[in-house]
Amino acid sequence: MKAVVKTAKGPGNVAYTDFPDPCKPGPGELLVEVKATGVCGTDLHILEDTFRNHPPVVLGHEFSGVVLETGKGVTMFRAGDRVTAEAPARLCGKCMYCRTGNYNHCSNRSGMGWGENGSFAKYTIIEEQMAHIVPCGVSFKAGALMEPMACVAHAIEITGLKGDDTVVVSGPGPNGLLMTQLAKAEGATVIVTGTGADAGRLEIARQLGADYTINVQAEDAAARIRELTGGYGADAVFECAGAQSSIDACFEYVRRMGKYTQMAMFGNRKMAIDMDKLVVKEIRMIGSQSQRWTSWDKTVKLLAAGKVRLDPLVTHEFGLSDWKSAFEVFEKKQGLKVVMYPEE
């Protein structure tokens, strides 16, 4: 089969090339035909060799597909099921994190697309315990976005939102727009902030349920947020932009004793935090990493109930052979989510 493969260590060394078809699924495994697969920042980091990888390995971990064959002992899925999977592909099952249900921090995990062969191919093998059904009515294209949605659901879960909270989402990118919808599903009032360059994305945020949107270059966002919250500030802020200016702004937006959750990652860039403000305002600051079963359960249920829309977030589609164009569009932030489709 043809696949997008990290062929060797070092910057670059990624090619669309022949790669062995997966063997028959082993015990507890599913052989899946990939129908759609999304591009993630991690894929670009692997291309640049700034994220761990074990070549030769097929890239990709955001996908949806159809089960072709099940291995021995599989009971929860059968051939023909539409499925997706969690990014942590293999777990040790023995460490403290696995044993407490926090396996996204497994000391010995191996991830899909960097440690295990991923979804930038016609076929992939996944473990039954990491697989999830794509709900009826959810397209394969949308199903490829379930993994990033589960990451956002995890951030919501560990932050702990209440129905009467006012939430600020800084950065209307794909994660910010997913956060907007999930926070609304929790009953929160949602304010989305962005720059003048984000005008189109802010409009999408409004269409997806944001109560207010603010262009931070056109008005005093902190003052506007205080006005909307009786002078206090937001109960919770989610930093989804991955920029120093956004971090600084979020410390202004959040109220005293409020919650700050870091969603965006920064690669090798070092960011500054105003520690005095963190202390004086008694801000509860937390980072959010990957996903776990409870966030996937929420993801599947919200999609099945039609409470989150994923298709509008896909702005560019490519064949897998055109992966370079797909990566370029993603890197230049020319749209929102980029989805690729395996070719015969």
Side-chain angles (χ1 to χ4, degrees), residues 2-311:
K2 291 287 190 179
V4 179
V5 181
K6 180 74 172 180
T7 57
K9 286 282 191 180
N13 297 326
V14 171
Y16 181 67
T17 186
D18 290 315
F19 197 83
D21 284 3
C23 299
K24 292 178 69 68
E29 294 181 338
L30 313 175
L31 173 63
V32 177
E33 180 181 359
V34 177
K35 294 296 186 180
T37 182
V39 178
C40 172
T42 301
D43 302 314
L44 268 70
H45 295 323
I46 293 173
L47 171 67
E48 298 159 355
D49 213 48
T50 58
F51 189 91
R52 60 190 180 278
N53 57 86
H54 303 291
V57 64
V58 178
L59 274 63
H61 61 273
E62 302 178 359
F63 79 102
S64 64
V66 175
V67 176
L68 295 181
E69 188 176 349
T70 61
K72 184 178 179 180
V74 171
T75 59
M76 295 187 295
F77 301 92
R78 60 184 179 182
D81 283 345
R82 303 187 323 135
V83 296
T84 182
E86 303 187 29
R90 306 280 179 178
L91 305 170
C92 73
K94 300 176 182 179
C95 69
M96 174 180 71
Y97 304 109
C98 283
R99 290 163 70 92
T100 57
N102 298 298
Y103 56 82
N104 51 316
H105 296 288
C106 172
S107 305
N108 304 293
R109 74 185 183 281
S110 182
M112 192 175 189
W114 59 266
E116 308 293 332
N117 289 322
S119 57
F120 288 178
K122 182 71 172 176
Y123 307 104
T124 192
I125 284 182
I126 59 176
E127 285 196 339
E128 177 186 31
Q129 67 172 343
M130 307 309 290
H132 297 271
I133 287 289
V134 176
C136 294
V138 175
S139 67
F140 285 120
K141 177 171 69 175
L145 274 62
M146 287 177 66
E147 191 274 340
M149 180 179 166
C151 291
V152 172
H154 177 62
I156 291 273
E157 182 179 34
I158 62 177
T159 301
L161 294 186
K162 302 191 302 296
D164 60 348
D165 279 346
T166 295
V167 169
V168 170
V169 177
S170 179
N175 280 345
L177 295 173
L178 286 168
M179 184 65 70
T180 298
Q181 296 188 75
L182 268 71
K184 286 299 297 180
E186 294 290 329
T189 297
V190 179
I191 304 167
V192 182
T193 65
T195 66
D198 293 320
R201 293 181 172 192
L202 290 173
E203 175 56 34
I204 294 174
R206 286 190 287 272
Q207 295 172 8
L208 293 177
D211 297 281
Y212 305 95
T213 58
I214 300 174
N215 177 347
V216 300
Q217 294 174 322
E219 61 179 308
D220 185 334
R224 177 61 173 150
I225 290 166
R226 287 193 297 271
E227 176 188 341
L228 293 169
T229 57
Y232 289 104
D235 298 295
V237 296
F238 292 90
E239 202 292 300
C240 300
Q244 183 67 63
S245 58
S246 175
I247 294 172
D248 295 339
C250 283
F251 274 87
E252 294 295 329
Y253 301 157
V254 67
R255 66 169 174 83
R256 290 174 180 269
M257 302 179 71
K259 304 169 184 177
Y260 176 118
T261 300
Q262 185 63 47
M263 270 293 297
M265 296 187 70
F266 303 94
N268 292 329
R269 295 175 295 155
K270 303 298 182 183
M271 298 291 152
I273 295 174
D274 188 337
M275 298 301 290
D276 283 347
K277 193 160 290 181
L278 181 74
V279 171
V280 170
K281 295 180 75 172
E282 291 191 358
I283 298 167
R284 291 173 52 195
M285 186 175 186
I286 191 169
S288 181
Q289 156 71 14
S290 192
Q291 70 251 199
R292 58 190 180 191
W293 187 88
T294 49
S295 51
W296 272 95
D297 186 53
K298 179 183 287 291
T299 292
V300 172
K301 287 176 178 176
L302 287 174
L303 288 173
K307 294 185 177 181
V308 174
R309 297 165 57 201
L310 297 180
D311 285 284

